[in-house]
Amino acid sequence: MTDTAGLHGALTRLPAFAGLPQGALEPMPRRGVAHDHVRLSGKGLVARVPRWSQLGLDPFANLEQQATAFRRAAPGGHTPELAAVLPPGPELPMGALVVTEIVGRPPRLPGDMPAIARALAALHALPLPPDGERAPLPAPADPVAATLAQVERQAVWFERAGLAPNALALLERELDDARAFRCAAPVPITLVGSDVHPGNFLIDDAGKAWFTDLEKAQYGHPAIDLAHASLYTSTMWEREVAAVLAPDEVTAFHEAWEAAVPPALAEAVRLWRQPLRRLTWLRTLSWMARWRVEGSALSPDMPDSLAAHMDAHAVDVLRPEIIGRVAAEWR
């Protein structure tokens, strides 16, 4: 858990927080694998404190990339706004961001999926910076090829995870199909959230969805976001949100997104949706296979209850019957 004394020292060196009493720092329940969150009581702000970088970045690069993501996503109106950056130092080895607090509840599925679709649409519809101005956010020239390359790097964990032989056979068939896929249609590129499972959203009193975790934001293919938000591997990820979407509920989610983006973007993404569901699913499954091998060692100081949930989820999504059930969507 974050050292609140160290966080308080870093905060009070900034003029805006010079008089902040240490008692105003309220650690929030840990829900994710990479960050602690501390509420600044009475300020309407939350300190977002990295424990490690899931992207393997050094502390300064990690903080700069996340700060940039919050700044660039803010005009869409569905993400917290950046209020301050606390650089890495002895008190805060990974530094921290201070962002506006979103007061809301976890999504209830499937009812809140259209609101999540509209939040994603707001992100995807933002103006695209010129090529030379997209750094430090990742901006692969071909996000589909980049995602496949990520899957290939992570796929070594399938063999190491002790999966059932029929599970391995099913995954190998899916990998082969992903490798063979070709599409001549242009690749639409937008700002994307990447880690957009429903547990990373909050729903406010007006029913508006807010996307709160921009660590992995980049410039990529919006169909990957649509897949990640609605696949079984994602909708069952968060304990408070867990639900299985029926096919018609996924269709309604896609329709809500299409209604909220420019028609040209909706049309450009439509042909990619199904094949990129497979690829995004393999991206998550290969990461979960790694979790089965390394477990909570990947996330320092993870609470036992959260680690146990993650362990159980990793076992569930890699069961042959679940693999077959998900893959039946496109087979």
Side-chain angles (χ1 to χ4, degrees):
M1 184 62 68
T2 292
D3 174 14
T4 55
L7 175 60
H8 181 259
L11 279 166
T12 53
R13 279 195 291 275
L14 298 178
F17 303 107
L20 185 72
Q22 187 166 341
L25 272 59
E26 301 176 355
M28 301 171 72
R30 184 177 288 176
R31 294 173 58 236
V33 300
H35 293 82
D36 288 333
H37 295 85
V38 180
R39 177 181 291 110
L40 278 58
S41 180
K43 295 286 188 180
L45 299 170
V46 170
R48 175 181 167 86
V49 187
R51 299 199 307 278
W52 63 298
S53 168
Q54 296 187 80
L55 302 177
L57 302 175
D58 70 66
F60 287 93
N62 180 54
L63 210 60
E64 180 187 11
Q65 182 165 314
Q66 292 198 43
T68 301
F70 277 97
R71 290 188 188 104
R72 294 189 186 170
H78 284 262
T79 57
E81 294 188 13
L82 182 67
V85 177
L86 306 178
E91 296 166 316
L92 287 175
M94 295 288 293
L97 301 182
V98 180
V99 300
T100 52
E101 181 178 9
I102 304 303
V103 178
R105 58 168 175 79
R108 300 182 189 124
L109 306 187
D112 288 322
M113 286 302 293
I116 290 173
R118 289 187 287 272
L120 291 175
L123 195 68
H124 299 157
L126 288 170
L128 192 64
D131 286 348
E133 298 176 16
R134 296 177 191 175
L137 300 189
D142 184 342
V144 179
T147 304
L148 178 59
Q150 181 183 1
V151 170
E152 296 281 17
R153 290 192 300 271
Q154 295 177 168
V156 297
W157 295 98
F158 288 141
E159 289 286 351
R160 300 174 186 175
L163 305 184
N166 50 340
L168 286 172
L170 288 168
L171 289 169
E172 189 57 41
R173 181 171 70 167
E174 295 300 325
L175 281 165
D176 285 344
D177 285 353
R179 292 167 181 138
F181 171 72
R182 299 290 184 274
C183 182
V187 177
I189 295 178
T190 69
L191 182 62
V192 297
S194 295
D195 195 8
V196 295
H197 67 82
N200 274 338
F201 291 81
L202 288 172
I203 309 298
D204 68 17
D205 286 344
K208 178 179 177 179
W210 295 80
F211 177 50
T212 61
D213 187 352
L214 277 76
E215 178 183 8
K216 297 179 182 177
Q218 60 177 283
Y219 293 100
H221 201 307
I224 294 175
D225 270 2
L226 296 178
H228 191 63
S230 57
L231 282 161
Y232 178 94
T233 39
S234 297
T235 62
M236 293 294 290
W237 178 277
E238 183 77 39
R239 288 173 292 184
E240 292 181 281
V241 177
V244 181
L245 300 183
D248 62 322
E249 292 163 348
V250 175
T251 298
F253 166 70
H254 287 152
E255 290 173 347
W257 180 84
E258 287 199 352
V261 297
L265 179 58
E267 183 177 355
V269 167
R270 204 169 294 135
L271 287 174
W272 291 95
R273 279 205 313 246
Q274 197 72 289
L276 291 192
R277 284 182 75 76
R278 173 196 285 122
L279 191 58
T280 306
W281 174 65
L282 289 169
R283 183 185 72 177
T284 302
L285 284 187
S286 53
W287 191 92
M288 294 307 301
R290 182 183 178 188
W291 183 275
R292 279 187 60 159
V293 177
E294 297 188 340
S296 56
L298 287 171
S299 179
D301 304 320
M302 175 175 280
D304 290 344
S305 61
L306 181 55
H309 169 72
M310 292 287 293
D311 291 345
H313 185 59
V315 170
D316 178 53
V317 299
L318 288 162
R319 289 189 292 130
E321 54 267 39
I322 296 298
I323 293 171
R325 184 193 306 170
V326 175
E329 180 182 331
W330 46 81
R331 288 204 168 274

